[in-house]
């Protein structure tokens, strides 16, 4: 049989490099960009294992579940880890980062998640980057959820290791990811005897065998379909304009927040302050009498296409997440999500639900 996904010509090194260049333009960075052949957990773990080890003192900021994972990796590398955990309904502040440096002057590595889609918060990376830069620490950022939904600027913010994925706000594939790496970060990895080498986790392999070789010979056969999908995704963002894509996500977040408050039925924004809320997803706290996972299940039974999920782990019973990213950052997806949640609340016997008020509020908040 023939199929457009089959019998494709091999992806050339030149085309691979051109896609990396487009990612660099997306991030407005002059740093080296490597597209890694796997979901974003690959470069996220590879960067930590490459740059951290015995002798590293890491400040690990926890504003959601991924921050907890990074702390586990850092400890496994032999680093001394200082965890800075803040309530998941808020964001960390630059002042808290400054206080952590004052209490632990040996900190030389900072790990942070930009936007936590799982908890719906976003952190002020620009202000945090100033503090990190003043103290000379290496700055590692997970921007997987935020890229495409809000600005991600590694150079301007002093980020040394910035990981992105295409599967959320960019509306692209999950099977490839990318990382921008500063010269300081490369030097830290080269000096780390514990950094992975000849390993799928090794960023140094890409540096020494790909970048230093002039990007002429790939390390291994690339994920052809995922690379082509990433290229198409970047083309679409370039065509629409990154500012327009980000504005669409900001509108979706504002509309969802306003619509949920007007909908009633006891739904409340989980992230209390709007300026701490991520534009990639809005999290909502359900009324005490309702189980969030059951509410989502009921809404999805009526419409399986709704971009809804219950919170993970301990949050499964109290939080609903509206994933208004990528193709779902639209008025239609927001209105359908609010209507589905309102109908499910009514089926649970919750009073005070006003579907029309929710619709009007969401419509009025779009674009403001």
């Amino acid at each position: 049989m023939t199929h457009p996904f089959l019998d494709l010509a091999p992806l050339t090194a030149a085309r691979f490099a051109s896609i990396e260049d487009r990612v660099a333009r997306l991030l407005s960075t002059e740093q080296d960009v490597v597209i890694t052949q796997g979901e974003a957990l690959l470069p996220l773990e590879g960067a930590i294992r490459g740059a951290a080890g015995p002798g590293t003192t890491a400040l690990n900021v926890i504003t959601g579940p991924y921050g907890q994972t990074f702390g586990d990796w850092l400890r496994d590398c032999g680093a001394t880890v200082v965890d800075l955990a803040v309530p998941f309904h808020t964001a960390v502040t630059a002042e808290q980062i400054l206080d952590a440096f004052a209490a632990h002057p040996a900190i030389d590595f900072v790990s942070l998640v930009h936007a936590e889609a799982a908890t719906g918060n976003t952190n002020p990376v620009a202000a945090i980057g100033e503090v990190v830069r003043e103290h000379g620490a290496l700055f590692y950022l997970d921007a997987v959820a935020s890229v495409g939904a809000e600005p991600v600027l590694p150079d301007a913010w002093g980020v040394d290791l910035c990981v992105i994925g295409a599967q959320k706000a960019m509306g692209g594939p999950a099977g490839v990811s990318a990382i921008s790496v500063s010269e300081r970060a490369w030097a830290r990895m080269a000096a780390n005897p514990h950094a992975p080498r000849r390993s799928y986790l090794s960023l140094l392999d890409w540096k020494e065998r790909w970048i230093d070789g002039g990007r002429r010979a790939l390390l291994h056969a690339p994920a052809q379909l995922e690379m082509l999908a990433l290229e198409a995704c970047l083309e679409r963002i370039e065509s629409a304009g990154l500012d327009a894509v980000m504005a669409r996500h900001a509108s979706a977040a504002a509309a969802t927040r306003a619509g949920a408050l007007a909908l009633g039925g006891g739904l409340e924004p989980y992230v209390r302050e709007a300026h701490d809320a991520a534009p990639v997803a809005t999290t909502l706290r359900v009324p005490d009498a309702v189980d969030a996972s059951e509410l989502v299940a009921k809404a999805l039974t009526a419409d399986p296409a709704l971009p809804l999920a219950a919170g993970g782990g301990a949050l499964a019973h109290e939080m609903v997440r509206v994933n208004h990213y990528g193709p779902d950052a639209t008025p239609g997806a927001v209105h359908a999500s609010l209507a589905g949640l309102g109908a499910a609340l009514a089926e649970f016997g919750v009073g005070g639900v006003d579907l029309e008020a929710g619709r009007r509020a969401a419509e009025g908040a779009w674009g403001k």
Side-chain angles (χ1 to χ4, degrees):
M1 64 176 289
T2 59
H3 191 281
F5 290 169
L6 299 176
D7 302 320
L8 296 173
L11 193 72
T12 65
R15 190 165 184 181
F16 192 103
S18 73
I19 300 172
E20 288 182 332
D21 292 342
R22 294 178 98 147
V23 172
R25 289 196 294 272
L26 177 73
L27 300 177
S28 299
T29 184
E30 298 296 324
Q31 297 178 6
D32 290 325
V33 168
V34 175
I35 297 178
T36 47
Q37 303 297 282
E39 199 270 339
L41 283 173
L42 172 64
L44 286 169
E45 183 174 357
I48 281 180
R49 295 195 180 278
T56 300
T57 300
L59 174 62
N60 180 51
V61 182
I62 302 175
T63 58
Y66 280 103
Q68 294 169 328
T69 298
F70 300 160
D72 292 339
W73 287 340
L74 286 161
R75 290 182 177 88
D76 191 52
C77 290
T80 299
V81 181
V82 177
D83 284 326
L84 172 56
V86 302
F88 290 176
H89 63 258
T90 186
V92 72
T93 66
E95 290 74 19
Q96 288 172 305
I97 303 295
L98 187 61
D99 290 344
F101 274 107
H104 306 275
I107 291 170
D108 60 359
F109 185 96
V110 176
S111 52
L112 175 71
V113 177
H114 187 185
E116 287 270 11
T119 50
N121 54 33
T122 192
N123 292 302
V125 182
I128 291 169
E130 289 185 17
V131 176
V132 176
R133 190 163 51 243
E134 287 172 5
H135 289 80
L138 210 67
F139 193 9
Y140 162 101
L141 184 70
D142 171 354
V144 174
S146 56
V147 66
E150 55 187 307
V152 176
L153 302 167
D155 293 10
W157 296 343
V159 178
D160 297 286
L161 295 158
C162 182
V163 176
I164 67 166
Q167 68 268 32
K168 288 189 167 66
M170 290 176 66
V176 288
S177 47
I179 179 169
S180 65
V181 186
S182 72
E183 289 300 323
R184 291 198 323 141
W186 284 131
R188 179 78 69 93
M189 285 187 271
N192 181 8
H194 302 278
R197 289 179 179 270
R198 296 297 187 265
S199 163
Y200 210 60
L201 285 172
S202 176
L203 294 175
L204 282 174
D205 285 358
W206 283 97
K207 165 67 170 168
E208 295 168 358
R209 298 168 57 194
W210 170 244
I211 295 172
D212 292 348
R215 299 195 298 178
R216 293 187 181 90
L218 289 160
L219 274 64
H220 45 70
Q224 171 93 320
L225 293 177
E226 287 81 358
M227 288 295 295
L228 295 176
L230 176 60
E231 183 180 51
C233 168
L234 291 163
E235 288 175 351
R236 183 171 61 187
I237 292 172
E238 291 166 0
S239 176
L242 179 59
D243 287 345
V245 175
M246 292 191 294
R248 183 163 52 84
H249 284 83
S251 289
T256 303
R257 190 177 184 92
L261 285 168
L263 182 68
L267 285 181
E268 297 177 352
Y270 183 82
V271 178
R272 294 176 183 172
E273 301 295 333
H275 60 76
D276 290 337
V280 70
T282 296
T283 47
L284 302 170
R285 192 184 300 276
V286 301
D288 291 339
V290 176
D291 183 284
S293 59
E294 294 178 4
L295 182 70
V296 168
K298 190 172 287 292
L300 291 178
T301 297
D303 184 353
L306 293 176
L308 300 175
L315 299 174
H317 301 299
E318 62 182 272
M319 177 198 286
V320 170
R321 190 170 77 237
V322 183
N323 295 316
H324 44 66
Y325 55 70
D328 289 318
T330 63
V334 170
H335 292 320
S337 296
L338 293 171
L341 289 172
L345 284 168
E347 284 192 51
F348 275 107
V350 176
V353 175
D354 189 334
L355 295 178
E356 179 58 20
R359 187 196 65 77
R360 288 198 305 270
E363 189 174 80
W366 190 275
K368 290 187 177 180

